[in-house]
Amino acid sequence: VIIIVEVDSEVPLYQQIRDRVVEGIANGELRAGDPLPSTRQLAADLSINFHTVNKGYDTLRAEHLLRLNRKSGAVVQRDPTSGPPDGDYVDSWSHRARTLLGEAIAQGMPPSDVIGQCRNIVAGFQEGTPE
Amino acid sequence: MTTAEAIAIIVVIMAALTGVLLLLPKMARPTLPFGVRVPEIHTDDLVITTATRQYYRWLVVTMAVVTVVLVALVLVVPAPVVVSSAAFAALAAWFVPYLSARRLVLDAKHTESWFEGTRQTVAADTTWRTSPLPYPWKWTLPAILAAVATLIVGIVVYPSLPDRIATHVGLNGPDEFTDTTVWSAFSLVGVQFLLTALLLGIVWVILRSKPDLAASDPKSSAHEYRRYAMAMAKSVLVLAFGMNVTMLLAALVVWDVLPATMVWIVVGIVPTLATAGIVVAVAIRTGQSGHRLHAATTTESATTTDRDDDAYWIAGLIYRNSDDPALWVPKRFGGVGFTVNVARPAAWILIGAIVAITIGALIFAALA
């Protein structure tokens, strides 16, 4: 997977790394068991501090998307085919989705457009096309 | 060395260097003219064409002046001193055309705020690390076999060597001799093995290097980088073979297996020159980081540019970024290849080792 980060973005770099990996898993470019580069290697390839990559990987580990260990490095832990999400994941996700979708409604996007956009994005992930 | 020989050597060195330095603008990425980071939409700007033309003109004039000065110096200073400093003089003089062309591009970039309103991005391909290029072991065999063959011939002929063997072969045959010992007889074999190890190490660095992917099209850029790295790796191993064959022939002359005639001296240099020619041809074909392999002209987004990282590059030549864990990084300007991140302690260990080896070799040569 190609990880692209925007240097001057308001979104912190570690968050961008985390987001790109999540999208890579969603569109099938990354599957459960796939390795990712070590934090130093990815930091070197992006010319950024390796603590930043560490933080991004840590976030993914806390979300049970990445397994980190000293021996095998960083490995993708789950993908869409690994079964339903655990425990209260759906609750926390709908909480965040509520805010994001609410933003669109507040800005005056017609509800049908909001649903249409959601459908397109999800369909995009299923076709395996990035972005 | 006669004065006429010295002048001939100086003219050849200067002509070759001028030729290589004239190639540099074509070898650099279009987004890095004269080591200045430029957004893709400005790569065809008039100022860059102007700067490139000025570089060509000034380079030819500067090199002509340096050549005249060196030739004049041969008449007053000992010729070997002048000849051995010719390359340094040429490289020092190169800064005149380089820095002035660079200045033109930098000024335009700043006064016209080329990076304003762009999305500056950096891209990395995770598969470059997770499924790296395999080391081309088969390609190391010719070089290793040539060195081993030299060693075997050496062991066979050693008992029958005369008491003294040549250490230097001039245009009129061998002109310097030393006592035959294991050290003096096998010194070329030692150099062969050291050089082979060094070039194998360089290949490893190339295959594990940090790719500089173009932000506008990271996917094809990553593909081109893979082709570039493998092509450079293989051609360096071919060069190792060529150099080892040259040293094999030189050893055969030293051991009196081949006659020390002009014919064999010329034949001996051919493998090195030919394989070095292959490296140059491959480098010209690929360009730095393989950008000249780029076929498609479509860009994903006109507003997405490479990160403006000029601040990390001193004069566009020396990289210093303490955040970046990378030791080896692709050069910005200066043909195809790599340079070190001087913010890494390992870079200073490396530079220290090179300086120590150079000084050591000079002292050793002076004592001997």
Side-chain angles (χ1 to χ4, degrees), chain B residues 21 31 46 85 134 138-139 147 162 166 177-178 198 231 305 341 348 356-357:
Chain B
L21 296 174
T31 48
L46 182 64
S85 52
K138 276 184 199 157
W139 289 70
F177 295 86
T178 186
L198 180 71
T305 61
N341 178 3
W348 290 101
I357 291 171

Side-chain angles (χ1 to χ4, degrees), chain A residues 61-110:
Chain A
R61 187 181 49 87
E63 294 170 293
H64 307 295
L65 291 171
L66 210 60
R67 213 171 34 237
L68 300 175
N69 70 54
R70 208 165 278 172
K71 224 172 169 190
S72 50
V75 178
V76 176
Q77 194 172 349
R78 65 157 300 146
D79 62 26
T81 63
S82 310
D86 7 281
D88 45 1
Y89 173 77
V90 177
D91 275 352
S92 100
W93 173 79
S94 29
H95 199 73
R96 282 176 290 142
R98 189 183 154 78
T99 311
L100 195 67
L101 298 178
E103 255 176 51
I105 305 288
Q107 293 284 348
M109 255 174 87

Side-chain angles (χ1 to χ4, degrees), chain A residues 7 14 17 50 56-57 61 66 81 85 94-95 97 113 118 124 129:
Chain A
V7 190
Y14 82 90
I17 292 170
F50 80 97
Y57 277 13
R61 187 181 49 87
L66 210 60
T81 63
S94 29
H95 199 73
D113 280 12
C118 289
T129 45

